[in-house]
Amino acid sequence: MRKIQIHTPYITLGQLLKKMELVNSGGEAKYFLQQKCVKVNQAVETRRGRKIYPSDQIEIKGYGNVQVYTN
């Protein structure tokens, strides 16, 4: 499981993908979400603007699970 620290109450899915260095831009994030299966709380998610909170469970096919936490 990969852990990503944030300093705000939430992060968007597109920002999370950038922070994980899986994409470089919002356009790439949109394409990534169309090509890869990304689940948030066991539901497939295709919106790069989806808010991700520390309690959410994120799974990215081929990359594993991701946990977001605050300091």
Side-chain angles (χ1 to χ4, degrees):
M1 175 179 295
R2 186 160 175 194
K3 295 181 179 187
I4 303 292
Q5 183 178 16
I6 61 173
H7 303 284
T8 56
Y10 66 85
I11 187 170
T12 65
L13 185 54
Q15 290 170 333
L16 177 66
L17 294 174
K18 283 192 234 178
K19 196 165 182 119
M20 293 178 65
E21 299 180 352
L22 298 177
V23 299
N24 293 317
S25 68
E28 283 184 27
K30 187 174 181 179
Y31 182 76
F32 183 91
L33 292 169
Q34 291 172 348
Q35 302 300 314
K36 302 284 184 184
C37 181
V38 177
K39 292 183 180 181
V40 178
N41 299 327
Q42 287 94 33
V44 174
E45 187 56 70
T46 58
R47 300 172 294 159
R48 63 186 169 144
R50 167 68 149 85
K51 292 178 182 175
I52 304 296
Y53 295 92
S55 61
D56 289 335
Q57 298 174 4
I58 302 107
E59 179 184 345
I60 304 172
K61 188 169 185 173
Y63 298 94
N65 295 326
V66 181
Q67 179 184 5
V68 175
Y69 69 97
T70 58
N71 48 340

